Amino acid sequence: MASPHSIDPQSIQAVIAKAKTLINTQLKAVLRLESLPVSGAKAVMQERIINLINHHVRSGNIADFNRLRDRVYDINQSSSGHYNHINSSATPPTSNMPTPSTRLTQPFGTGMPPTSYAQVKPNFRDSPFYSIMEPLTSMLECKVREATRDQLEAKINLRQDIVDRLVTDSSQKVMIYCASEPISPFSQVDINFPHQIEIRVNLDEVKANLRGLKGKPGSTRPADITPLLRKRSGYDNTLNVTYALTNKKFYIIVNLVKQHASESLVAKLKAGRSISKDQVIREMITRSQDGDIVTTSSIMSLKCPLSTLRIDTPCRSTICTHNQCFDALSFLQLQEQAPTWTCPVCNKVISFQALQVDQYVNEILKSTPRSVDQVIVELDGRWSAVAQKDIPNGTSGTRSSSEEDDDIVEIQEPRLAAIKDEALLTPSSMARTPPYSSREQSLSSAAPRSSSGKRSIGQVIDLTFSSDEEEPPPRGAKRQSTSNGPSRSQTSSMATMAHSLPRPNGFNFSLPRLEPAKPPEQLDYRFGDL
C-alpha cells in the first residue's frame, strides 16, 4: 500500500474545496454511498465527508481516497455524449479496477466514474423463482440524465464451468438485474429499470417487459439474456445499455441465477408446514362464539378464483382470516409472470413463506366428486355438498301459453299494405273532397281509435269479413296553396262545387259562373234571396 505522501496535496485540498460547494441533497447522496449518517445540518454533513477524506489520507488508502474523490465530483454531473466501457468477467470486480497511480493522473470530474463500488451492492428482494448464484459483471452505474441520453457497455466473459452449467442445466439462467436509488445495505430493493431504456446483447435487442405492471412497484422481473449469449469460454459477449430521461441513478448488474419452476414450488409447499383440519375447525368455532358477530352457515366454493377451475392444491396465507382457498399452481404461475404477491380473495400482501396447504379444504376436495363445485359449511366445521337443483322446463327463455294468448299479433295483409302505399303515393292535388252526405256517413261508420300507439285487443283484424266492410283507405293531406289567388282551374272547380252543394234547411243560395278571363280580385259574389 502506498504511503500518504504519494497523494498530491493539491488533490486533497481540491476535493475538500469541492465538498464544501455541494448542496444538502448532494451531501446526503455521498454520505449514503459511504454508509455514513445523513442527519444534521449542512456543516455537519460537510465535516463528515472532510473527516473521511483526511482518514483515507492518513491511513494511506489511495483506492478509497480515489473512490470518495470521484463520488464528490460526479455526484450530480450531467455531462453526456460519452461511453462507459467496462471490461467485466466472472472474477471479483476489484480485479478490473485501475491502478491507483492511473486514477490519480486523471483530471477531476472528467475521468470515467467508478461503476464497481464495493459498497454499492443492491440487496435485491428475495424471490422464490430465482436464486442468485454469482455476479457475472461489475455494477454499472446509470447517472442522472434528465434531458439527454447515455450509453453503457460491458463485456460478459463466461468461464468454462459456467458454460457447462448453462448447456446441461436448463434451470441455469443469465439475467440482468437493475435497481434505483436510494440503496441501503440494510434493506431490500425491488427490480426497477429506467422507463426509457434499451438493452442489446451482441447487437440483438432484449425482448423483455422491463416496466412491469402500471402502478405496481416490484412487479418487474429480471431480464433473461441466456438465448442471446455466445456460450463459449473466453468469448466477450457485448452488453449495450441505452437509457434517457432519468432523474435518479440506476445500478445494473448481470447475475447467474437458478430458476425454480412453479411445479417444484408446489411440491415444496406440500412437503412443508400446513394448516391442520383441527386448527381450521377451532378458528371457525371461535368466530361463531363472538357475540358481536352473527354467523350462520356459509357456502364455500371449490373453484379457484384465479383459474375458475376446481382446486387441486388448496392453499392460503397464514395472515388471512378467511377459509376460502385458491389453487397453489395457478397462483404461483401468475406471480411468476407479474409478482404482485397479493391474496386473490382479500387482497392482502402475502409472501411465499406464508403460504400453506389447508388440510380441511383438501379433505373436502378428496371426499367429493369433481362435479361438485360448492359445499355448505356449518359453524362447527361440518360440511355438506350443495345439491344442484334441476331447472324446470320452459323457464329458460320460453313463454307460457297464457302469456302468448295475451299478446297481440298484428297480421300484415298484402292487399291492405298495397292500398296504404297507393294512398301515400297519391298526390294531394288529385284528392277530391267527397260530398257532405258521404262524409257524414263515413264519420258515423268509422270506429273510434285509441289515442295510444298500441293496438288494443278489440281492434284485431278479423279476416272473416268481406272486403266490402273494410275501412276506406286514409286520405292524403291536402296541400295548401302558396299563390296570391286561385288559378284558372281552381276557380272553375269552385264554381262547379258551388252549384252541386245541397241546400240544407230550405235555404237556396247560388253563385254566378265566373269568367275565366277576369282576375280573382274582380269577382262579384251575389247571394240570392233568403
Side-chain angles (χ1 to χ4, degrees):
M1 182 174 294
S3 62
H5 302 288
S6 63
I7 302 178
D8 187 7
Q10 294 181 357
S11 301
I12 301 172
Q13 296 300 326
V15 176
I16 295 176
K18 181 63 177 179
K20 293 181 179 180
T21 62
L22 300 180
I23 61 177
N24 290 341
T25 305
Q26 297 170 344
L27 291 171
K28 291 181 180 180
V30 174
L31 291 173
R32 287 193 186 97
L33 295 177
E34 295 294 336
S35 301
L36 294 177
V38 296
S39 60
K42 181 178 180 180
V44 177
M45 292 187 290
Q46 289 177 350
E47 185 178 0
R48 291 194 189 112
I49 295 177
I50 294 173
N51 293 337
L52 184 60
I53 294 174
N54 294 329
H55 172 71
H56 293 331
V57 173
R58 288 191 301 267
S59 60
N61 195 340
I62 300 178
D64 293 340
F65 172 81
N66 292 334
R67 183 193 66 245
L68 180 56
R69 182 206 63 186
D70 291 338
R71 287 178 177 177
V72 171
Y73 275 93
D74 300 331
I75 190 62
N76 198 24
Q77 185 181 358
S78 60
S79 61
S80 59
H82 64 276
Y83 294 85
N84 292 332
H85 298 279
I86 305 168
N87 296 326
S88 306
S89 63
T91 58
T94 56
S95 61
N96 294 324
M97 294 291 292
T99 59
S101 59
T102 305
R103 297 179 60 106
L104 285 173
T105 58
Q106 296 176 355
F108 294 129
T110 59
M112 182 184 66
T115 55
S116 301
Y117 300 148
Q119 289 80 4
V120 185
K121 290 184 178 180
N123 184 17
F124 291 98
R125 195 175 304 279
D126 295 333
S127 174
F129 303 103
Y130 310 104
S131 298
I132 298 178
M133 308 300 292
E134 60 176 298
L136 299 181
T137 65
S138 57
M139 190 70 63
L140 302 180
E141 178 184 348
C142 301
K143 293 187 176 182
V144 177
R145 296 291 181 262
E146 296 183 353
T148 58
R149 71 174 184 175
D150 201 353
Q151 297 183 7
L152 302 176
E153 181 179 301
K155 301 296 182 181
I156 306 175
N157 196 323
L158 304 177
R159 300 193 308 265
Q160 185 60 43
D161 59 326
I162 297 178
V163 173
D164 297 338
R165 281 187 285 176
L166 292 176
V167 173
T168 58
D169 190 359
S170 60
S171 63
Q172 300 284 332
K173 303 289 184 180
V174 178
M175 292 188 168
I176 301 177
Y177 284 69
C178 183
S180 61
E181 289 183 330
I183 295 176
S184 174
F186 308 104
S187 61
Q188 294 184 339
V189 294
D190 295 319
I191 296 177
N192 184 22
F193 288 88
H195 189 72
Q196 302 289 342
I197 187 172
E198 181 185 70
I199 302 177
R200 291 181 178 272
V201 177
N202 297 326
L203 302 180
D204 294 329
E205 184 178 359
V206 177
K207 302 292 186 179
N209 182 13
L210 303 179
R211 297 182 182 181
L213 300 179
K214 185 177 181 180
K216 297 289 185 181
S219 60
T220 307
R221 300 187 302 166
D224 185 9
I225 61 173
T226 308
L228 304 179
L229 294 175
R230 307 293 190 269
K231 301 176 182 63
R232 294 196 298 269
S233 177
Y235 182 84
D236 290 336
N237 294 275
T238 305
L239 173 66
N240 298 103
V241 179
T242 305
Y243 67 96
L245 307 179
T246 57
N247 54 6
K248 56 185 177 181
K249 289 185 178 181
F250 288 83
Y251 299 94
I252 300 177
I253 189 172
V254 180
N255 292 324
L256 177 67
V257 302
K258 182 176 178 60
Q259 187 176 13
H260 305 284
S262 301
E263 292 77 7
S264 62
L265 297 179
V266 172
K268 185 178 179 181
L269 284 178
K270 293 180 179 180
R273 299 181 59 183
S274 62
I275 304 175
S276 62
K277 175 182 176 182
D278 296 337
Q279 178 183 350
V280 176
I281 295 177
R282 284 197 306 268
E283 293 175 355
M284 295 172 61
I285 294 176
T286 303
R287 287 195 297 265
S288 64
Q289 294 176 353
D290 191 353
D292 298 335
I293 302 176
V294 179
T295 57
T296 58
S297 60
S298 59
I299 296 180
M300 178 186 295
S301 175
L302 301 181
K303 287 186 176 182
C304 177
L306 298 174
S307 63
T308 67
L309 301 176
R310 185 179 168 91
I311 299 175
D312 291 331
T313 306
C315 73
R316 58 185 176 93
S317 176
T318 54
I319 65 174
C320 298
T321 58
H322 52 78
N323 294 327
Q324 179 65 49
C325 296
F326 48 86
D327 186 64
L329 181 59
S330 301
F331 178 75
L332 292 176
Q333 288 177 347
L334 180 62
Q335 298 309 310
E336 186 178 5
Q337 299 297 325
T340 57
W341 292 106
T342 55
C343 177
V345 179
C346 62
N347 292 328
K348 287 184 179 180
V349 179
I350 59 179
S351 62
F352 176 76
Q353 291 74 15
L355 292 180
Q356 293 184 6
V357 178
D358 194 322
Q359 297 297 339
Y360 175 77
V361 181
N362 193 28
E363 181 180 343
I364 296 177
L365 292 170
K366 293 180 179 179
S367 304
T368 55
R370 298 192 64 86
S371 59
V372 177
D373 296 333
Q374 294 177 342
V375 293
I376 299 177
V377 180
E378 303 295 339
L379 300 180
D380 55 356
R382 293 181 294 108
W383 59 271
S384 60
V386 177
Q388 185 177 4
K389 298 180 180 179
D390 296 333
I391 301 177
N393 296 329
T395 59
S396 59
T398 59
R399 306 176 64 180
S400 61
S401 58
S402 59
E403 294 179 353
E404 293 179 353
D405 294 339
D406 293 340
D407 290 344
I408 304 301
V409 179
E410 183 177 357
I411 302 176
Q412 298 289 343
E413 187 178 358
R415 190 169 58 84
L416 291 179
I419 295 176
K420 291 181 181 180
D421 296 339
E422 182 179 357
L424 293 176
L425 294 175
T426 303
S428 59
S429 60
M430 298 178 60
R432 301 296 183 184
T433 305
Y436 181 80
S437 58
S438 61
R439 283 186 294 168
E440 183 179 11
Q441 182 180 2
S442 174
L443 291 175
S444 60
S445 61
R449 292 181 178 271
S450 174
S451 60
S452 62
K454 185 178 180 180
R455 185 187 299 270
S456 61
I457 299 178
Q459 294 179 349
V460 179
I461 299 175
D462 193 348
L463 300 181
T464 59
F465 292 161
S466 63
S467 60
D468 298 334
E469 297 176 356
E470 295 176 353
E471 292 184 3
R475 298 187 301 274
K478 294 184 178 181
R479 184 177 62 183
Q480 297 180 357
S481 176
T482 58
S483 61
N484 296 331
S487 61
R488 179 177 299 179
S489 60
Q490 289 176 344
T491 55
S492 177
S493 176
M494 291 171 59
T496 305
M497 290 174 59
H499 287 281
S500 62
L501 290 175
R503 301 174 182 179
N505 300 329
F507 292 101
N508 184 14
F509 49 105
S510 61
L511 294 176
R513 296 184 178 274
L514 301 178
E515 295 296 333
K518 294 182 180 182
E521 57 270 14
Q522 297 180 1
L523 294 179
D524 186 12
Y525 295 93
R526 299 175 182 178
F527 294 89
D529 297 335
L530 298 178

